[in-house]
Amino acid sequence: MYFLRLGICLCFSGISALAADVVGSDLVKEIVVPGISKMSKVPTVELMGTLPARRALASGKASMALIFVKEGDTEPTAPDGFFLNRYLWANSAAVVVVHRNNPFAQINLEELKGIYAKESRTPFNDWSDFRNGNLAEPISPLIYSPVGSFTQEYFQGFVMGGDDWKAGVRQRVEWPAVLDSLAARFGIIAVMPGLPAGSPGKVLPVSDGREGRPKVAYLPDEMNIYTGDYPLRLPLYLYVRTDKERELREVMLWLFSDEVADKLRAQGLYPCPKAIRSRLSQRLDR
């Protein structure tokens, strides 16, 4: 069951590999296809999912792919004798939000599992269940995963290990109800793609916290998400055949432009930080 629904969403495929210059996740189709169609030399594009994109790269039927790579995944491959360059284009991420007056300062993945999962080593039902917790208030968890987002599938797979949701976790909540809960429920904790500026609630720093992993908690800003210091993120990589990179230079420059970064943010994704994009564009523009 691990990442089952996420896999269905990202990896729907036909029997054979796609044949196109650019392949990848269908979740960015509405961003990528219109922009590429306006280019001076229009490459063929088929954004039908991650698995068919991997097959197309491996078979030599595609030169460029936009692919989500979750923890533990193997890297995509090219045919024998060819090589791929990898660029981190964007991330999907989940943020953790509590009531703005909640004194709780940070949280880790194991604690999140204890709040949301039906089965966990250390269940948390009240804020006072936490070590040094002194807030006698029941925890009121919800998850907000709007249409076009896979926050719920990602969180259930990565944090909960595919476990069922604990009774009482509110799901399929509409955005107005999320805002009302953040403003009014002192014990609220919410997982969502992002928190727009001016919304009620306080974003918590998150640490990995698993054995052998970092204990430092990080806020979900673009740089922390890009570097992977913020653990609740799923990278979306751009893979390009090294022998085709010059040919697809116009596509790459556009994908790392401010215009596309704004479109990614509007869809709830986190683009590569501007400083990184600028350095890459300067290298490609030589």
Side-chain angles (χ1 to χ4, degrees), residues 74-286:
T74 58
E75 293 283 344
T77 58
D80 289 344
F82 296 94
F83 303 93
L84 299 173
N85 280 336
R86 187 186 79 171
Y87 304 93
L88 182 49
W89 183 49
N91 282 277
S92 176
V95 304
V96 180
V97 187
V98 296
H99 190 278
R100 67 179 63 206
N101 293 325
N102 189 324
F104 209 66
Q106 62 183 59
I107 200 162
N108 64 41
L109 300 185
E110 190 63 32
E111 291 167 340
L112 284 168
K113 182 176 181 178
I115 290 173
Y116 281 90
K118 185 177 181 180
E119 301 291 338
S120 63
R121 289 186 306 175
T122 310
F124 296 98
N125 300 304
D126 193 282
W127 288 104
S128 61
D129 292 339
F130 288 92
R131 185 176 59 181
N132 300 324
N134 55 11
L135 178 62
E137 183 78 22
I139 298 173
S140 179
L142 69 79
I143 186 155
Y144 174 63
S145 189
V147 175
S149 161
F150 48 86
T151 300
Q152 184 159 334
E153 289 82 358
Y154 166 68
F155 186 87
Q156 188 173 15
F158 178 58
V159 175
M160 296 167 51
D163 193 11
D164 290 332
W165 299 91
K166 182 186 292 184
V169 175
R170 297 168 64 203
Q171 305 172 58
R172 294 177 289 278
V173 185
E174 297 297 326
W175 181 240
V178 175
L179 293 177
D180 288 346
S181 294
L182 289 173
R185 292 194 177 195
F186 195 76
I188 189 74
I189 185 168
V191 173
M192 62 183 74
L195 185 68
S199 302
K202 177 178 71 174
V203 177
L204 286 183
V206 179
S207 66
D208 189 310
R210 293 173 292 178
E211 187 173 351
R213 301 297 182 92
K215 300 292 192 292
V216 178
Y218 293 89
L219 283 167
D221 62 41
E222 278 190 355
M223 187 57 74
N224 288 340
I225 291 172
Y226 173 78
T227 59
D229 289 327
Y230 183 76
L232 283 176
R233 52 80 111 151
L234 181 64
L236 176 52
Y237 289 106
L238 172 67
Y239 291 89
V240 188
R241 278 250 306 261
T242 55
D243 60 308
K244 297 288 187 179
E245 194 164 285
R246 193 67 190 171
E247 180 182 328
L248 293 168
R249 171 180 160 277
E250 183 181 6
V251 177
M252 294 183 67
L253 284 170
W254 179 75
L255 286 173
F256 286 97
S257 67
D258 290 342
E259 173 194 351
V260 172
D262 289 341
K263 292 178 184 294
L264 289 167
R265 291 189 192 96
Q267 193 168 313
L269 296 169
Y270 294 79
C272 173
K274 184 175 178 63
I276 308 295
R277 290 187 283 110
S278 297
R279 286 200 295 271
L280 176 60
S281 297
Q282 287 170 8
R283 183 179 72 79
L284 292 171
D285 215 15
R286 291 173 186 168

